[in-house]
Amino acid sequence: MKSCHFPVEFACLYKMGAEHTLSITTSNQIFTIGGQESTPWTSRTRFTVPQSSFSLETSKGGKVLLNYDFIAGDVLEIDYGKRDVRLNGKDLAVSIAFETVWKELEPGVVQIKASHQTELMYSERYY
């Protein structure tokens, strides 16, 4: 019995580039997002004071608004790709406001601010 072998080809939709961590503050800051394609992001916020809500906004229309009574020591993690919001490791999706607009980071110049010091991480994407 003869066996046939066919070559297998994989097509990549995009290539990943350098990884970046941006320090986001409560004031609009200007950043240049590298790459050629929009890219997903994650963020991590450690609250140092109590706060009754949280927001993370970009000048390109993206915004995550959370209504929750955060306390000092809380750790908030947001994963854009999964639309996942976690507080101290537990699901916090119930806090997502209707005004939230989930958007990937677009390449180019963007202003970003948050209602509390936040780290935002992303990887550049290329065709």
Side-chain angles (χ1 to χ4, degrees), residues 31-42:
F31 297 98
T32 300
I33 306 301
Q36 296 171 318
E37 289 282 317
S38 295
T39 188
W41 51 271
T42 59

Side-chain angles (χ1 to χ4, degrees), residues 41-103:
W41 51 271
T42 59
S43 69
R44 188 171 195 278
T45 306
R46 179 179 296 277
F47 290 89
T48 56
V49 295
Q51 201 168 304
S52 62
S53 64
F54 175 80
S55 65
L56 176 65
E57 302 179 61
T58 74
S59 60
K60 297 202 177 183
K63 63 182 171 182
V64 176
L65 304 172
L66 306 176
N67 295 311
Y68 189 83
D69 289 323
F70 300 97
I71 61 171
D74 277 346
V75 176
L76 174 67
E77 296 175 299
I78 302 173
D79 184 330
Y80 165 84
K82 297 176 183 175
R83 308 297 197 277
D84 188 36
V85 177
R86 298 208 167 262
L87 181 65
N88 303 320
K90 296 181 182 169
D91 184 23
L92 194 64
V94 67
S95 72
I96 301 171
F98 288 118
E99 298 84 10
T100 293
V101 178
W102 292 100
K103 287 189 78 170

Side-chain angles (χ1 to χ4, degrees), residues 98-112:
F98 288 118
E99 298 84 10
T100 293
V101 178
W102 292 100
K103 287 189 78 170
E104 290 187 338
L105 290 174
E106 297 176 26
V109 176
V110 64
Q111 290 183 21
I112 307 174

